[in-house]
Amino acid sequence: MRREFKQHKSYLFDLKELRDKHGLLAGDLLAVDPELYSKFMQYISRTVKHDEVTKNMVFLTALSAYTKEPINLFLRGESSIGKSYNVREVLRLFPKNDVWFLGGLSPTALVHEKGVLVDKNGDPILPWDKPDKNASKEEKEAWRERLRDSRYIVDLQGKILVFLEAPHIQTYNMLRPILSHDVWETSYKFADRSGKGKLQTTHVVIRGWAATIFCSTEERYVQDLATRGFTITPETTEDKYQAANILTGEKAAYPWKFKEDFDFMLLQGYIGFLKNKLKEIDVVIPFGEALGRKFPSKFPRSMRDFKHILSIIKVHALFHFAQRPALIMQTENGESAYILAVRSDYEFAMELWGKIRETTETFAPGHIIKFYYEVVEEVAERSEEFHVEDLVEKWNEKFEDKRSSDIIRKWVDFLCKIGYMNKKPDPNDKRRNVLTIIKANEKNGNYTQIKFSEFFTLETFKEWLNEAKKISEENQVLLRKNLLSDEEASPEDIWQIYYCKNGDFSDILLGEKQGVVAQSVEENSEFQKSVQFPEIHKFEEIKALYWVDGEFTFHPCGICGYSKLTSWKAETFKNEQFWICEDCKERWERSRNE
């Protein structure tokens, strides 16, 4: 017999307190939680042990898909260290339709799996539009003419592309202008076979910029893109390996503990809510120009690195949109709202940048950086000149995973290429090289942390605001404490609240040390019940795909808040109809049968 449906309790959020304090509902409710980001990381830490930097960067990269400047992320390192696992676990929180896991897809496969066939007017060409065999000659000719001018649209806006292995070289060449953010649309033609096996020319347009994550970066053509993103390596420590084994054993012992729970639904729902919210708002960085003057600019790639740091600042600020001050431009046609990035966004981004700067600047995998600092520099302290054999001996003396001279030699060659070491022929033995290190102050990218108070003050903030008002003299510009407030705030108030206080991001991930999130099912408060699944009597499957103003439009789900291809119309206990996506329908039915 089916048991009565019980509501789920959140172990991350005190929804009643947030409701009573702020008077908000649904996504806005979580948006005001001051520990929102750390709670996301805490939940992810249930199934991803250690790898603080990796899961933070994967999460931020995925979020950037919903901004104007998506991020490219490259995961480097030896096999079996958790590159793909990190990515899969973090992206579970994102809408499934937005995440494309891609292998070595050919252009043909990419287009047919992800493309939408449209005519010259941009209207979709659907299979049932094809005239049947009894159609007139004119109808058949019109159909052929429509196909003749057709093209496939692969829309990457708001998408997260995950390359589990290096993409097919032709696919990579097709996507590269988009991945580099060089152009908004790329037109591409290639030979394809029709349903009858005849060769034909297929026209495809790749549109928009996606956030991309590369889990395999060994191919040279992928490495050429590395300066256009961040490079990181998951941890390779014994503590991590042990924690991962314990987690695997825990899943085997208590499988029900890791099922999707109410907190998962809250977090996933917030991502969908945030995705829709970011269509309405943008972010500005008041201290952007002042930071640009201070940022080290000795080398060409510093221009791209600075741009990428600004991207992290923007993503972090947008994630906390309800907790950031707002700049409002009032025009004759209404208001335009911008949120302001604040000191904590800067300090978070710079703390994270400090942990990934070296691998990003050099595109070096973490194990080679470890080899340099823990082996090469120690050998160099004893002797300015040394040989590969000295490094092999030192490595195998310190570490359990023994390495051959061939592998160590490849690592040395890489370090010479990125400017960490020099080698020259040994005058006493031409068959080998003499090695030396390049001192730290001689390396490219020498960098020190820039304190916020050194380049941004109250006077600087006022100067920025005055300049913003001058640029938009025809509009009224004012400040508010946040987007949820209608009360105007002074520059002094904003400065005191958002720019004076220090943030502590020395431990970027704030979840793992706060205890394990419980997964039991209990009765909840009346308010918590109101944001859970309503009592639904029946489902009616219907098509929810519409073509409006040149793009596909779906009804948003009444539970999780975002749109999916397969939707259902549901009747509540009040006989009111609303839309519900298939994922929420399945979870609701599972909950009723528990």
Side-chain angles (χ1 to χ4, degrees):
M1 176 180 287
R2 177 174 59 83
R3 293 181 299 170
E4 288 300 316
F5 176 60
K6 292 186 176 182
Q7 305 298 334
H8 295 253
K9 178 180 179 181
S10 172
Y11 289 87
L12 290 175
F13 301 95
D14 188 333
L15 300 177
K16 185 177 186 304
E17 180 182 350
L18 290 172
R19 192 248 351 231
D20 293 343
K21 185 175 181 180
H22 299 281
L24 303 169
L25 296 174
D28 282 328
L29 189 71
L30 301 191
V32 298
D33 190 318
E35 297 180 351
L36 179 63
Y37 187 89
S38 66
K39 288 177 179 178
F40 265 87
M41 292 298 106
Q42 182 178 341
Y43 193 86
I44 293 170
S45 295
R46 295 169 61 238
T47 56
V48 182
K49 300 302 181 182
H50 295 265
D51 281 331
E52 274 75 322
V53 172
T54 302
K55 53 197 172 193
N56 272 267
M57 280 306 304
V58 171
F59 185 67
L60 292 168
T61 298
L63 284 174
S64 76
Y66 308 131
T67 70
K68 295 180 179 179
E69 285 292 332
I71 294 171
N72 297 323
L73 181 65
F74 301 85
L75 278 72
R76 298 210 70 190
E78 299 174 292
S79 61
S80 303
I81 61 172
K83 298 190 292 292
S84 299
Y85 179 80
N86 268 276
V87 173
R88 287 195 303 268
E89 288 300 307
V90 173
L91 296 187
R92 287 173 57 234
L93 294 171
F94 288 79
K96 291 180 180 178
N97 288 341
D98 291 348
V99 182
W100 295 1
F101 286 100
L102 305 176
L105 283 182
S106 67
T108 304
L110 176 67
V111 169
H112 289 301
E113 286 186 21
K114 305 297 184 181
V116 175
L117 185 63
V118 300
D119 60 23
K120 63 181 180 180
N121 298 318
D123 295 324
I125 299 176
L126 302 173
W128 47 83
D129 293 339
K130 183 178 180 179
D132 58 32
K133 60 182 180 180
N134 297 322
S136 67
K137 183 178 179 180
E138 290 77 13
E139 288 176 324
K140 292 179 180 179
E141 179 58 33
W143 171 255
R144 285 192 291 269
E145 183 65 26
R146 193 181 183 199
L147 288 180
R148 193 174 297 119
D149 296 327
S150 68
R151 65 193 184 278
Y152 281 92
I153 301 293
V154 179
D155 194 347
L156 301 183
Q157 298 177 79
K159 303 302 180 184
I160 305 160
L161 273 56
V162 181
F163 294 96
L164 299 174
E165 56 186 271
H168 191 286
I169 182 63
Q170 288 181 297
T171 306
Y172 174 80
N173 289 334
M174 185 171 69
L175 292 174
R176 176 167 180 155
I178 299 294
L179 300 181
S180 302
H181 298 185
D182 294 334
V183 293
W184 183 248
E185 285 190 349
T186 300
S187 183
Y188 187 85
K189 293 183 178 181
F190 61 90
D192 190 13
R193 291 191 180 276
S194 67
K196 297 181 179 180
K198 295 181 179 180
L199 278 176
Q200 61 184 17
T201 300
T202 296
H203 181 197
V204 58
V205 174
I206 310 293
R207 175 185 296 163
W209 299 335
T212 62
I213 302 174
F214 290 84
C215 298
S216 177
T217 57
E218 294 306 313
E219 296 292 348
R220 180 64 193 174
Y221 56 84
V222 174
Q223 297 179 24
D224 289 341
L225 194 67
T227 58
R228 294 169 174 82
F230 297 102
T231 301
I232 60 173
T233 299
E235 290 180 32
T236 54
T237 63
E238 187 176 336
D239 287 344
K240 171 189 165 177
Y241 303 151
Q242 184 179 43
N245 286 336
I246 293 173
L247 174 63
T248 301
E250 191 176 9
K251 287 181 178 180
Y254 313 103
W256 51 86
K257 184 177 180 180
F258 297 93
K259 290 183 177 180
E260 294 178 0
D261 58 5
F262 180 48
D263 280 321
F264 177 87
M265 293 170 56
L266 284 175
L267 297 175
Q268 191 183 58
Y270 182 76
I271 296 294
F273 165 79
L274 184 66
K275 172 186 174 180
N276 293 323
K277 196 71 177 178
L278 294 189
K279 297 176 183 177
E280 308 168 7
I281 59 177
D282 202 352
V283 60
V284 293
I285 305 178
F287 49 85
E289 183 180 2
L291 177 59
R293 297 179 187 279
K294 278 283 187 179
F295 193 79
S297 305
K298 295 181 180 180
F299 308 103
R301 73 158 295 138
S302 66
M303 293 184 289
R304 280 179 173 161
D305 289 339
F306 181 64
K307 186 178 180 180
H308 296 152
I309 289 171
L310 294 183
S311 294
I312 294 182
I313 292 173
K314 289 180 179 180
V315 173
H316 193 260
L318 287 168
F319 181 80
H320 297 91
F321 76 94
Q323 303 174 41
R324 295 295 180 263
L327 182 141
I328 308 298
M329 285 191 178
Q330 296 181 337
T331 68
E332 294 179 355
N333 299 322
E335 290 186 351
S336 297
Y338 300 83
I339 65 167
L340 308 186
V342 299
R343 180 171 184 160
S344 60
D345 300 316
Y346 166 78
E347 292 179 345
F348 174 89
M350 296 309 286
E351 183 68 30
L352 189 55
W353 172 243
K355 296 177 183 294
I356 64 177
R357 178 192 61 82
E358 195 161 19
T359 52
T360 296
E361 288 181 345
T362 62
F363 197 59
H367 63 275
I368 294 184
I369 297 296
K370 172 184 176 181
F371 166 69
Y372 178 79
Y373 287 114
E374 298 189 29
V375 173
V376 177
E377 284 197 334
E378 287 189 23
V379 171
E381 286 179 3
R382 298 199 307 261
S383 175
E384 287 189 7
E385 295 185 343
F386 47 92
H387 301 93
V388 166
E389 291 77 10
D390 300 316
L391 301 177
V392 174
E393 180 181 355
K394 185 65 176 177
W395 176 278
N396 291 332
E397 174 189 310
K398 289 190 66 172
F399 301 108
E400 293 291 333
D401 53 332
K402 309 304 180 184
R403 301 294 182 178
S404 68
S405 58
D406 288 341
I407 291 178
I408 298 297
R409 192 172 287 108
K410 289 180 181 178
W411 293 357
V412 168
D413 289 342
F414 186 92
L415 290 169
C416 290
K417 186 191 304 183
I418 65 174
Y420 277 51
M421 296 180 67
N422 276 325
K423 64 179 179 180
K424 60 183 180 180
D426 188 337
N428 300 319
D429 186 348
K430 301 298 183 181
R431 295 172 299 177
R432 63 180 186 171
N433 294 312
V434 173
L435 308 175
T436 58
I437 67 169
I438 297 175
K439 301 299 181 183
N441 59 1
E442 299 171 6
K443 295 177 192 171
N444 290 353
N446 189 29
Y447 172 81
T448 55
Q449 187 85 328
I450 308 168
K451 291 184 179 180
F452 188 82
S453 57
E454 291 179 359
F455 66 89
F456 202 66
T457 63
L458 175 58
E459 288 70 29
T460 316
F461 180 54
K462 289 181 177 180
E463 290 173 5
W464 167 80
L465 184 60
N466 289 334
E467 186 64 23
K469 290 179 178 180
K470 288 180 183 178
I471 295 173
S472 305
E473 289 183 351
E474 70 278 9
N475 304 325
Q476 182 181 359
V477 178
L478 53 90
L479 294 174
R480 292 176 183 164
K481 288 186 179 180
N482 54 61
L483 284 176
L484 306 178
S485 172
D486 294 327
E487 183 180 350
E488 186 174 353
S490 68
E492 290 80 8
D493 289 340
I494 298 298
W495 174 263
Q496 187 64 35
I497 296 171
Y498 294 102
Y499 295 99
C500 279
K501 298 177 182 179
N502 289 312
D504 181 12
F505 302 102
S506 55
D507 181 10
I508 293 176
L509 177 69
L510 303 177
E512 223 165 290
K513 297 179 180 179
Q514 296 181 6
V516 179
V517 182
Q519 272 78 53
S520 62
V521 178
E522 299 179 7
E523 290 292 341
N524 213 338
S525 68
E526 289 302 314
F527 170 69
Q528 287 171 327
K529 291 180 181 179
S530 70
V531 297
Q532 312 252 351
F533 291 125
E535 187 72 21
I536 299 172
H537 293 309
K538 70 176 183 178
F539 289 104
E540 176 189 357
E541 185 174 8
I542 60 175
K543 293 180 180 178
L545 178 60
Y546 295 88
W547 188 256
V548 179
D549 296 331
E551 63 179 10
F552 282 117
T553 301
F554 308 99
H555 285 290
C557 173
I559 292 177
C560 69
Y562 53 85
S563 306
K564 297 185 179 180
L565 179 61
T566 303
S567 295
W568 306 71
K569 184 183 290 183
E571 291 186 5
T572 69
F573 63 96
K574 294 181 180 180
N575 293 322
E576 296 176 350
Q577 293 185 328
F578 69 103
W579 296 90
I580 180 170
C581 69
E582 186 171 15
D583 287 349
C584 288
K585 171 181 176 290
E586 291 176 355
R587 294 193 194 104
W588 176 85
E589 289 177 333
R590 286 201 304 268
S591 297
R592 286 188 62 87
N593 293 324
E594 285 180 351

